[in-house]
Protein backbone atom coordinates (compact mmCIF):
# COMPACT_ATOMS: atom_id res chain seq x y z
CA UNK A 1 0.00 0.00 0.00
CA UNK A 2 1.18 3.61 -0.56
CA UNK A 3 2.78 5.13 2.55
CA UNK A 4 1.47 8.14 4.47
CA UNK A 5 3.59 10.63 2.49
CA UNK A 6 1.48 10.00 -0.60
CA UNK A 7 -1.92 10.65 1.03
CA UNK A 8 -2.36 14.15 -0.41
CA UNK A 9 -1.24 13.03 -3.86
CA UNK A 10 -3.63 10.08 -3.79
CA UNK A 11 -6.52 12.30 -2.74
CA UNK A 12 -5.84 14.50 -5.78
CA UNK A 13 -6.46 11.57 -8.14
CA UNK A 14 -9.87 10.88 -9.71
CA UNK A 15 -11.84 8.47 -7.52
CA UNK A 16 -11.60 5.50 -9.88
CA UNK A 17 -7.84 5.89 -10.25
CA UNK A 18 -7.35 6.51 -6.53
CA UNK A 19 -8.99 3.17 -5.74
CA UNK A 20 -6.70 1.44 -8.22
CA UNK A 21 -3.57 3.19 -6.90
CA UNK A 22 -4.45 2.07 -3.38
CA UNK A 23 -3.73 -1.50 -4.56
CA UNK A 24 -0.19 -0.68 -5.66
CA UNK A 25 3.21 0.15 -4.23
CA UNK A 26 4.39 3.78 -4.21
CA UNK A 27 7.99 4.73 -4.83
CA UNK A 28 10.02 7.84 -5.63
CA UNK A 29 12.29 7.91 -8.69
CA UNK A 30 14.97 10.40 -9.68
CA UNK A 31 15.04 12.04 -13.10
CA UNK A 32 16.27 9.86 -15.96
CA UNK A 33 15.15 6.45 -14.67
CA UNK A 34 14.00 4.10 -17.45
CA UNK A 35 10.94 2.36 -16.04
CA UNK A 36 9.95 0.44 -19.16
CA UNK A 37 12.14 -0.69 -22.07
CA UNK A 38 10.64 -1.11 -25.52
CA UNK A 39 10.44 -4.77 -26.53
CA UNK A 40 10.65 -6.09 -22.98
CA UNK A 41 7.90 -8.18 -21.42
CA UNK A 42 6.11 -6.81 -18.37
CA UNK A 43 2.66 -6.41 -16.94
CA UNK A 44 3.00 -3.51 -14.50
CA UNK A 45 1.11 -0.25 -14.83
CA UNK A 46 2.45 3.01 -13.35
CA UNK A 47 0.19 5.71 -11.92
CA UNK A 48 1.80 9.16 -11.73
CA UNK A 49 1.37 10.94 -8.37
CA UNK A 50 3.91 13.70 -9.02
CA UNK A 51 6.52 14.54 -11.65
CA UNK A 52 6.23 13.41 -15.26
CA UNK A 53 7.01 10.47 -17.53
CA UNK A 54 7.88 10.39 -21.22
CA UNK A 55 7.04 7.52 -23.58
CA UNK A 56 9.43 7.21 -26.52
CA UNK A 57 11.19 4.95 -29.04
CA UNK A 58 14.80 5.16 -30.20
CA UNK A 59 16.83 3.69 -33.05
CA UNK A 60 20.32 2.18 -33.16
CA UNK A 61 21.84 5.64 -33.68
CA UNK A 62 20.20 7.00 -30.54
CA UNK A 63 17.61 9.17 -32.31
CA UNK A 64 14.34 9.36 -30.39
CA UNK A 65 10.70 10.08 -31.09
CA UNK A 66 8.42 11.01 -28.21
CA UNK A 67 4.87 9.64 -28.11
CA UNK A 68 3.69 11.56 -25.08
CA UNK A 69 4.50 13.14 -21.74
CA UNK A 70 2.31 12.18 -18.78
CA UNK A 71 1.87 13.95 -15.46
CA UNK A 72 -0.06 13.54 -12.18
CA UNK A 73 -3.39 11.76 -12.57
CA UNK A 74 -2.27 9.76 -15.61
CA UNK A 75 -0.87 6.27 -16.02
CA UNK A 76 1.35 4.35 -18.43
CA UNK A 77 2.01 0.69 -19.21
CA UNK A 78 -1.55 -0.27 -20.13
CA UNK A 79 -0.59 -1.21 -23.70
CA UNK A 80 1.22 -4.38 -22.58
CA UNK A 81 -1.49 -5.75 -20.35
CA UNK A 82 -2.34 -8.22 -23.12
CA UNK A 83 0.94 -10.02 -22.36
CA UNK A 84 2.74 -8.74 -25.45
CA UNK A 85 6.09 -6.91 -25.52
CA UNK A 86 6.28 -3.27 -24.50
CA UNK A 87 5.52 -0.98 -27.45
CA UNK A 88 7.59 1.95 -26.14
CA UNK A 89 10.13 2.90 -23.50
CA UNK A 90 9.16 5.12 -20.56
CA UNK A 91 11.55 7.40 -18.64
CA UNK A 92 11.11 9.84 -15.77
CA UNK A 93 11.40 13.40 -17.14
CA UNK A 94 11.90 14.76 -13.61
CA UNK A 95 11.94 13.44 -10.07
CA UNK A 96 8.65 11.57 -9.80
CA UNK A 97 6.54 9.63 -7.33
CA UNK A 98 4.68 6.70 -8.85
CA UNK A 99 2.47 3.82 -7.85
CA UNK A 100 3.22 0.50 -9.51
CA UNK A 101 0.16 -1.72 -10.01
CA UNK A 102 0.49 -5.32 -11.15
CA UNK A 103 -1.74 -6.94 -13.76
CA UNK A 104 -3.21 -9.22 -11.09
CA UNK A 105 -4.17 -6.21 -8.94
CA UNK A 106 -5.67 -4.47 -11.97
CA UNK A 107 -7.81 -7.51 -12.82
CA UNK A 108 -9.03 -7.69 -9.22
CA UNK A 109 -9.87 -4.00 -9.36
CA UNK A 110 -11.83 -4.43 -12.60
CA UNK A 111 -13.77 -7.38 -11.17
CA UNK A 112 -14.84 -5.20 -8.25
CA UNK A 113 -15.26 -2.00 -10.31
CA UNK A 114 -16.21 -3.12 -13.84
CA UNK A 115 -16.78 0.49 -14.95
CA UNK A 116 -13.00 0.99 -14.84
CA UNK A 117 -12.64 -1.43 -17.78
CA UNK A 118 -14.46 1.10 -19.98
CA UNK A 119 -12.22 3.91 -18.69
CA UNK A 120 -9.15 1.82 -19.49
CA UNK A 121 -10.45 1.00 -22.96
CA UNK A 122 -11.15 4.68 -23.63
CA UNK A 123 -7.58 5.53 -22.59
CA UNK A 124 -6.13 2.91 -24.94
CA UNK A 125 -8.25 4.17 -27.86
CA UNK A 126 -7.26 7.80 -27.26
CA UNK A 127 -3.58 6.95 -27.16
CA UNK A 128 -3.85 4.79 -30.27
CA UNK A 129 -5.56 7.69 -32.05
CA UNK A 130 -2.82 10.08 -30.89
CA UNK A 131 -0.15 7.67 -32.13
CA UNK A 132 -1.88 7.47 -35.51
CA UNK A 133 -1.94 11.26 -35.75
CA UNK A 134 1.73 11.46 -34.78
CA UNK A 135 2.67 8.93 -37.45
CA UNK A 136 0.62 10.84 -40.02
CA UNK A 137 2.39 14.09 -39.13
CA UNK A 138 5.80 12.42 -39.39
CA UNK A 139 4.92 11.03 -42.81
CA UNK A 140 3.20 14.06 -44.31
CA UNK A 141 4.72 17.12 -42.61
CA UNK A 142 8.24 18.42 -42.91
CA UNK A 143 10.21 19.25 -39.76
CA UNK A 144 9.00 22.85 -39.71
CA UNK A 145 5.38 21.74 -40.04
CA UNK A 146 5.79 19.43 -37.06
CA UNK A 147 7.52 22.18 -35.06
CA UNK A 148 4.69 24.59 -35.82
CA UNK A 149 2.11 22.06 -34.61
CA UNK A 150 4.12 21.49 -31.43
CA UNK A 151 4.46 25.22 -30.72
CA UNK A 152 0.75 25.79 -31.39
CA UNK A 153 -0.20 22.95 -29.04
CA UNK A 154 2.09 23.90 -26.15
CA UNK A 155 1.57 27.69 -26.23
CA UNK A 156 -2.22 27.73 -26.07
CA UNK A 157 -3.76 30.24 -23.64
CA UNK A 158 -0.54 32.25 -23.50
CA UNK A 159 1.57 29.45 -22.07
CA UNK A 160 5.29 29.42 -22.75
CA UNK A 161 7.04 26.70 -24.74
CA UNK A 162 8.97 24.94 -21.99
CA UNK A 163 11.22 22.56 -23.91
CA UNK A 164 14.93 22.46 -24.66
CA UNK A 165 16.07 22.04 -28.27
CA UNK A 166 16.83 18.39 -27.47
CA UNK A 167 13.35 17.95 -26.01
CA UNK A 168 11.79 19.43 -29.14
CA UNK A 169 13.92 17.16 -31.34
CA UNK A 170 12.73 14.12 -29.40
CA UNK A 171 9.11 15.18 -29.90
CA UNK A 172 9.62 15.87 -33.61
CA UNK A 173 11.78 12.92 -34.61
CA UNK A 174 14.64 15.03 -35.98
CA UNK A 175 18.10 16.26 -34.98
CA UNK A 176 18.74 18.86 -32.30
CA UNK A 177 20.76 20.84 -34.83
CA UNK A 178 17.74 21.12 -37.12
CA UNK A 179 15.57 22.36 -34.26
CA UNK A 180 18.23 24.88 -33.18
CA UNK A 181 18.38 26.35 -36.68
CA UNK A 182 14.59 26.65 -37.01
CA UNK A 183 14.14 28.16 -33.54
CA UNK A 184 16.91 30.68 -34.20
CA UNK A 185 15.24 31.66 -37.48
CA UNK A 186 11.89 32.07 -35.71
CA UNK A 187 13.53 34.25 -33.06
CA UNK A 188 15.09 36.45 -35.75
CA UNK A 189 11.72 36.63 -37.50
CA UNK A 190 10.02 37.91 -34.35
CA UNK A 191 7.86 34.82 -33.81
CA UNK A 192 9.53 33.42 -30.68
CA UNK A 193 11.37 35.05 -27.79
CA UNK A 194 13.69 33.17 -25.45
CA UNK A 195 12.76 34.07 -21.87
CA UNK A 196 14.91 31.53 -20.04
CA UNK A 197 16.94 28.40 -20.67
CA UNK A 198 14.60 25.95 -22.39
CA UNK A 199 11.66 28.39 -22.34
CA UNK A 200 10.20 30.46 -25.18
CA UNK A 201 7.32 32.88 -25.57
CA UNK A 202 5.32 32.87 -28.78
CA UNK A 203 4.97 36.48 -29.89
CA UNK A 204 2.68 35.84 -32.87
CA UNK A 205 1.28 32.97 -34.88
CA UNK A 206 3.87 31.02 -36.79
CA UNK A 207 3.53 31.08 -40.61
CA UNK A 208 2.07 28.01 -42.32
CA UNK A 209 5.33 27.46 -44.18
CA UNK A 210 8.95 28.45 -43.63
Amino acid sequence: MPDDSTDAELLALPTSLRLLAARGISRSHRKGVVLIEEGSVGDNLYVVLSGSLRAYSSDARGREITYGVYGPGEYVGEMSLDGGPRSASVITEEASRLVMVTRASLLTHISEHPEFAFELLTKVIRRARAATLSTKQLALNDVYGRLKNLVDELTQDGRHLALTHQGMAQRLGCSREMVSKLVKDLELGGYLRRVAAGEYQRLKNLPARW
Side-chain angles (χ1 to χ4, degrees):
M1 295 288 291
D3 59 43
D4 291 342
S5 66
T6 67
D7 284 351
E9 295 163 330
L10 282 171
L11 289 173
L13 295 176
T15 301
S16 59
L17 194 56
R18 183 169 68 248
L19 293 173
L20 174 64
R23 300 176 183 274
I25 299 173
S26 63
R27 183 179 176 184
S28 295
H29 299 268
R30 68 182 186 279
K31 177 182 178 180
V33 174
V34 177
L35 301 166
I36 296 173
E37 291 191 13
E38 182 178 3
S40 65
V41 177
D43 59 2
N44 296 326
L45 180 150
Y46 293 90
V47 180
V48 185
L49 298 181
S50 64
S52 63
L53 309 179
R54 180 170 63 90
Y56 68 97
S57 288
S58 59
D59 63 15
R61 290 182 289 177
R63 295 183 303 178
E64 295 183 359
I65 178 67
T66 296
Y67 300 122
V69 177
Y70 309 102
E74 298 185 282
Y75 52 88
V76 299
E78 76 287 346
M79 297 296 285
S80 68
L81 292 174
D82 63 349
R86 299 286 194 179
S87 58
S89 297
V90 175
I91 190 171
T92 53
E93 280 285 271
E94 57 186 295
S96 303
R97 189 157 186 83
L98 315 170
V99 174
M100 184 184 72
V101 181
T102 65
R103 184 174 186 271
S105 295
L106 174 62
L107 293 177
T108 298
H109 182 71
I110 290 175
S111 69
E112 296 177 6
H113 303 277
E115 69 280 1
F116 188 77
F118 180 75
E119 181 178 328
L120 182 63
L121 178 61
T122 300
K123 178 77 73 175
V124 170
I125 291 173
R126 286 176 179 169
R127 289 185 177 172
R129 183 178 293 119
T132 299
L133 177 60
S134 177
T135 300
K136 180 180 178 181
Q137 290 178 343
L138 282 172
L140 300 180
N141 288 350
D142 58 13
V143 174
Y144 172 74
R146 300 199 296 273
L147 175 61
K148 179 183 182 302
N149 289 339
L150 180 67
V151 172
D152 289 347
E153 175 189 351
L154 298 183
T155 58
Q156 293 179 15
D157 304 321
R159 290 177 295 168
H160 286 180
L161 176 64
L163 279 175
T164 63
H165 290 184
Q166 182 63 38
M168 292 184 218
Q170 290 168 345
R171 296 282 194 101
L172 301 175
C174 66
S175 69
R176 181 181 61 79
E177 290 75 18
M178 176 64 76
V179 168
S180 297
K181 180 181 184 304
L182 286 171
V183 170
K184 185 64 175 179
D185 287 346
L186 290 170
E187 287 184 85
L188 293 173
Y191 294 96
L192 294 178
R193 182 173 70 89
R194 183 176 182 271
V195 296
E199 184 175 349
Y200 295 86
Q201 178 186 13
R202 184 179 66 173
L203 301 176
K204 55 184 177 181
N205 291 336
L206 273 60
R209 297 187 181 279
W210 190 259

